[in-house]
Amino acid sequence: MSQEIGGKRPASCQPFVVSAIIPCLDEETAIGQVVAAVLGQSVSEVIVVDGGSRDRTAERARAAGARVIVESRRGYGRAIQAGIAAARDDADILLFLDGDGSDPAEFISDLVSPIATGQAVFVLGSRVRGSREPGSLAPQQVVAAHVGRLLLRLVYGASFTDLSPFRAIRRDELRRLGMKEETYGWNLEMLMRVAAAHLPALEIAVGQRRRIGGVSKVSGNPIAGVKAAWSISATFVRLAFELRTQER
């Protein structure tokens, strides 16, 4: 693979290797269907990072064809980092999505293709654009998306409309970003670092489905929602200052 941003592989090379990473906790109802749907989209492997589920999430993920990694330390960013570390060595593109069935797997090709063809190194799937099933996004998630969009535009001139977890990035560029966040601020941190680094990025409309089962760890839990909001806000302030200092 070319190391130049936007570089394309010669036609004679093998197809890009895509590793899908799915962090989840107590998603036994949905995870089997999610893994099967992702594997049906020409993804090279699916890594499910189980955060210590008390149900049959890990068992059902394995049965559906996923490789399961257990990350006993709580924290969304920690789970993502564990999945990245477990990805196969030859993975070119890392794909991220949730394990509750809310991210439409049929858009995976639309996320990956611009990276494979050199149009972008990062592609975000926006939940607030496209077709949304009623009740698929809680009001606080919609508000967070709008606030995040405003802050990213004001500070970095970026045009992202959502903080969606459904996204894909070239692995070599992700390494260069220097991601650090260990909790719910991970998704925002990636957008901020991508924008600050002026990486070629695209956003596509993917919409959102209602989760297949279970209860959201954030939108379905007021306390967890407050903690997530605080983590995201703290991440923006801390990282904005850090990146501004680096620029100087």
Side-chain angles (χ1 to χ4, degrees):
M1 181 175 57
S2 170
Q3 295 302 308
E4 295 292 324
I5 292 178
K8 298 181 181 180
R9 278 190 173 188
S12 60
C13 287
Q14 294 297 317
F16 273 70
V17 174
V18 180
S19 293
I21 297 170
I22 306 175
C24 62
L25 177 67
D26 296 329
E27 295 288 1
E28 67 174 2
T29 303
I31 194 61
Q33 296 178 56
V34 173
V35 170
V38 174
L39 287 173
Q41 297 295 317
S42 300
V43 167
S44 308
E45 67 171 349
V46 174
I47 300 169
V48 169
V49 184
D50 182 41
S53 296
R54 294 169 292 181
D55 60 11
R56 300 170 63 193
T57 295
E59 177 185 340
R60 293 187 175 180
R62 289 191 187 97
R67 181 152 55 93
V68 177
I69 304 298
V70 176
E71 174 51 76
S72 58
R73 299 174 303 162
R74 291 297 174 90
Y76 183 86
R78 293 188 184 99
I80 293 287
Q81 292 281 27
I84 293 170
R88 47 191 280 184
D89 292 340
D90 61 344
D92 303 297
I93 299 172
L94 298 179
L95 170 74
F96 304 95
L97 70 158
D98 279 347
D100 58 10
S102 60
D103 295 321
E106 63 269 23
F107 283 98
I108 287 175
S109 177
D110 296 302
L111 287 172
V112 171
S113 293
I115 301 175
T117 58
Q119 295 175 266
V121 300
F122 172 76
V123 181
L124 178 71
S126 175
R127 301 167 298 180
V128 298
R129 296 174 54 207
S131 176
R132 272 190 282 157
E133 291 184 354
S136 59
L137 283 180
Q140 58 265 39
Q141 291 175 295
V142 177
V143 171
H146 288 306
V147 171
R149 174 176 62 182
L150 177 62
L151 292 173
L152 288 166
R153 182 177 292 276
L154 287 175
V155 178
Y156 299 105
S159 57
F160 298 122
T161 64
D162 194 12
L163 305 180
S164 168
F166 196 22
R167 56 185 63 192
I169 189 169
R170 244 173 54 174
R171 189 183 197 173
D172 56 348
E173 293 296 340
L174 178 59
R175 288 195 187 105
R176 295 187 183 104
L177 288 182
M179 296 287 294
K180 299 176 182 177
E181 182 60 35
E182 297 181 335
T183 57
Y184 289 113
W186 168 273
N187 288 330
L188 175 60
E189 180 188 16
M190 186 185 290
L191 296 183
M192 293 176 71
R193 289 189 181 276
V194 165
H198 305 290
L199 295 183
L202 293 175
E203 179 183 283
I204 64 169
V206 299
Q208 184 83 335
R209 295 198 177 109
R210 289 188 299 272
R211 62 170 29 249
I212 292 175
V215 178
S216 171
K217 311 307 179 294
V218 178
S219 62
N221 183 328
I223 295 176
V226 171
K227 289 181 178 178
W230 171 257
S231 177
I232 290 170
S233 300
T235 296
F236 188 90
V237 173
R238 173 185 56 77
L239 189 55
F241 178 78
E242 177 183 326
L243 292 173
R244 183 62 60 87
T245 302
Q246 290 175 359
E247 290 176 359
R248 291 175 180 174

